[in-house]
Amino acid sequence: WTLYVAAVNDPPTFSSPTIYLCEDPSDGDTYVIEHHVTDIFPGWFEEDQTVAFSVSPQSGDTALFTAGPFVDGDGTVRFKLAPTAFGAATFFLTGYDDGGVARLGVATTRESLTIIANRRPSFSLLAPVVTLVELSGAESAAFAVRAVRDVVLGPDGSENGTFVLV
């Protein structure tokens, strides 16, 4: 008699690190982060297979995006942020190969893709050149408060947070 062992499709594997942005997304540019999803592997002895990705919402604020995110087969992530985007959203990132599911094979793997958008703080100096003459203690703190204006630390234009002049 002959024993025949048929191969089954192994699921693809990949790594999907978190994306951190510190931007003011006011111009609607498309973000392109090349090869962000890494270690894309179709499975053992399956080098002839192609891995593709689909993205679907998992949690967080998906209104941060006007388009995407999308992930290309090479791991490049593409998306557009809304002009006032601030916060985080997590997506299911499903990698699938074209090896099929015959004989109990597995063609998909699901990971998470998190994108965190944090707006830069901003402020204006009261004068372009500031001269400080031997101030210390409470006087230097009072000077720092008067040295800047239009401080925006929070996403909603608030002044919540910590501001340190160095």
Side-chain angles (χ1 to χ4, degrees), residues 11-73:
T13 59
F14 55 90
S15 297
S16 176
T18 296
I19 297 173
Y20 295 95
L21 300 172
C22 187
E23 302 283 337
D24 286 327
S26 58
D27 54 11
D29 285 345
T30 299
Y31 287 82
V32 177
I33 305 170
E34 294 184 3
H35 309 291
H36 179 75
V37 177
T38 59
D39 304 321
I40 301 169
F41 183 64
W44 291 104
F45 305 107
E46 298 172 353
E47 291 78 15
D48 59 330
Q49 293 181 12
T50 302
V51 177
F53 295 97
S54 66
V55 180
S56 59
Q58 179 180 355
S59 64
D61 186 3
T62 57
L64 296 170
F65 304 90
T66 58
F70 307 101
V71 179
D72 299 341

Side-chain angles (χ1 to χ4, degrees), residues 14 51-57 69-73 91-96 108-111 113:
F14 55 90
V51 177
F53 295 97
S54 66
V55 180
S56 59
F70 307 101
V71 179
D72 299 341
F91 299 86
F92 290 118
L93 178 60
T94 303
Y96 55 95
T108 62
T109 298
R110 180 184 277 181
E111 298 283 339
L113 170 65

Side-chain angles (χ1 to χ4, degrees), residues 73-98:
D74 69 352
T76 298
V77 179
R78 302 170 191 277
F79 57 89
K80 282 187 181 183
L81 287 176
T84 59
F86 178 87
T90 301
F91 299 86
F92 290 118
L93 178 60
T94 303
Y96 55 95
D97 62 33
D98 54 1

